[in-house]
Amino acid sequence: MNIEKLAPKLKPWMQVDTWHTSHPKDSERFHLALNSAFSELGSSISYDDFKEAMEYLSEELSSAKLEAEYLTQAIEGYASRAETIS
């Protein structure tokens, strides 16, 4: 999987400071981002691909300010959810 193609699909969700919360709007953005990724890249995207793309994005977005352990857990949790949905 080309992470440079997946990351821009996830960016509209992750660029919002609260992407890692359980707020309904964040959840909605997460699902819209997944829909966009699946529409362009297919629905067979692995956990590792999601995780790599999210880590790539987290370096340039405000989420880099989050505590490292919390950020890792959030990324792993959402990568797992994304893979399950795919």
Side-chain angles (χ1 to χ4, degrees), residues 15 28 41 52 59 64 66 69 71 73 86:
Q15 71 185 1
E28 180 181 340
L41 306 171
E52 281 184 54
E59 293 173 9
L66 297 173
E69 185 177 332
L71 178 60
Q73 290 174 353
S86 78

Side-chain angles (χ1 to χ4, degrees), residues 47-82:
Y47 167 87
D48 289 330
D49 291 336
F50 281 117
K51 185 174 180 237
E52 281 184 54
M54 292 174 67
E55 289 171 341
Y56 173 81
L57 282 172
S58 72
E59 293 173 9
E60 68 178 66
L61 300 174
S62 61
S63 55
K65 298 175 188 171
L66 297 173
E67 179 189 333
E69 185 177 332
Y70 176 79
L71 178 60
T72 298
Q73 290 174 353
I75 288 174
E76 289 173 352
Y78 278 100
S80 179
R81 289 180 203 152

Side-chain angles (χ1 to χ4, degrees), residues 3-16 19 29-38 41 45-47 49-58 61 75 78-79 82:
I3 299 308
E4 287 78 26
K5 288 186 178 181
L6 177 57
K9 300 300 179 191
L10 302 178
K11 189 172 184 174
W13 160 59
M14 286 189 71
Q15 71 185 1
V16 178
W19 69 266
R29 281 188 289 273
F30 172 66
H31 289 280
L32 288 172
L34 292 183
N35 186 49
S36 177
F38 298 148
L41 306 171
I45 303 174
S46 74
Y47 167 87
D49 291 336
F50 281 117
K51 185 174 180 237
E52 281 184 54
M54 292 174 67
E55 289 171 341
Y56 173 81
L57 282 172
S58 72
L61 300 174
I75 288 174
Y78 278 100

